[in-house]
Amino acid sequence: MLKNEAKYGLGEVVRHKKHPFRGVIFDVDAVFSNTEEWYDAIPQDSRPRKDQPFYHLLAENDESYYVAYVSEQNLTLDRSGEPVTHPDLGDLFGAFDGRQYPLHFDLN
């Protein structure tokens, strides 16, 4: 039985280690669960392992807001204390507490 434990949780603010963006985690997959086409579009020497948690982020950079799908190996906690300004945050989360965003609802 495969047991992957996610290092980061819902509502945490994280930063990509290689690319200039950060975001708030709104979902986690225990292992890679995107399309093979998406995976194959990543340069082979940069492809993350599939057997690790992957995170769905409400992401932002200096130019735009978007949803990102990122492997755990490419994330680190964002310790800036700055809120994320993604326009969809209010749909899922409450106010930023300086470290993370609380969920608006209970998980089943």
Side-chain angles (χ1 to χ4, degrees):
M1 181 175 171
L2 178 65
K3 290 182 92 174
N4 275 353
E5 190 169 317
K7 182 176 182 178
Y8 306 111
L10 301 182
E12 285 193 286
V13 180
V14 291
R15 180 175 297 279
H16 197 285
K17 290 180 179 178
K18 298 177 183 177
H19 301 290
F21 72 86
R22 62 196 200 108
V24 178
I25 297 167
F26 70 90
D27 196 9
V28 183
D29 295 333
V31 295
F32 177 79
S33 294
N34 208 332
T35 66
E36 287 304 312
E37 181 179 74
W38 182 92
Y39 189 77
D40 290 344
I42 300 169
Q44 191 168 4
D45 61 340
S46 298
R47 286 184 193 150
R49 296 181 337 274
K50 290 183 176 182
D51 65 342
Q52 64 181 313
F54 276 72
Y55 298 83
H56 300 260
L57 309 177
L58 294 176
E60 66 182 20
N61 61 27
D62 290 339
E63 300 172 3
S64 65
Y65 302 105
Y66 51 97
V67 172
Y69 190 65
V70 185
S71 65
E72 187 168 273
Q73 75 186 56
N74 285 320
L75 292 176
T76 188
L77 280 177
D78 180 276
R79 299 188 190 283
S80 70
E82 295 294 320
V84 173
T85 58
H86 194 289
D88 295 335
L89 276 171
D91 294 340
L92 300 171
F93 299 100
F96 184 58
D97 70 6
R99 188 179 144 275
Q100 68 182 51
Y101 290 84
L103 287 170
H104 270 314
F105 55 88
D106 293 326
L107 299 174
N108 291 334

